[in-house]
Amino acid sequence: MEAKRLSEADILAILRGADELIAQGGRSLLAKILKGSREKKVLELGLDDCPVYGCFKGVKLEEVLEKIDWMFDHDFLDIEYSGKLPMIVFTERGWYIERDKRADEFLREWDKWIAEDRSAPDMTYLKDRNRKMIFLILEKARESQNKQYIPYLEAWKQIDYRKVRERITSVIQSLETGETPDFQAIQEREVMLKEALQGDAPQDLYIKCWECGNRFLFSIGEQQFYRKMGFHDPKRCPECRMEREMSDFLDF
Ligand SMILES: [Zn+2]
């Protein structure tokens, strides 16, 4: 049975939660963040500071896991293995959405500082983050035409690398001169974001066998089962798998 389509709010919440543990944790840890678990590991990693911590508090754990699995099925999240441990990673689609929302989140924080009349704090928290997201923050700052961002940008410029500094300089110039934003670029980004949020329905995969080179079916149901069990995707077709098992058995 096809699980019910997630709301946009659910999709965004799960992506935000996943952002805290990319390549560091699996689906059960993500579920714990969203449930607001008080478990030691959650607190030790400071995951209770995440803005979506506890946002599915009233939802049964089983249902939270179903929502997360829906995200895997619809190409928002993926699994990568660190040794034997399955870790959550973003798909291209998932990261496209999350970096846009995360960039907004950083600017909302600046807005808060402005409202509190706060001068620029230590801006090193922006250093060494994903470059695409950093440039997106800067583009959005430019598009905002908000001159009040300039002191934060100036402080940021002191601590970052040359490539980022150059971009910051250009944004400051745009803000100072009141340059008209590129509305077409903004609109294109919004259209792409909307499309990305649609997700991609799950599909059967045809994997090429490592051994014999034939393609074999890896069905949606099998994909879901493998993920739930924390297995790697199969590399060999059923026939070659069977043969291997037989020869292992004979060797024994
Ligand atoms: Zn084969």
Side-chain angles (χ1 to χ4, degrees), residues 209 211-212 237 240:
C209 173
E211 204 96 31
C212 67
C237 71
C240 290

Side-chain angles (χ1 to χ4, degrees), residues 209-214 216 235-241:
C209 173
W210 272 22
E211 204 96 31
C212 67
N214 290 334
F216 63 96
K235 298 188 169 62
R236 295 174 178 81
C237 71
E239 290 77 25
C240 290
R241 247 178 281 163

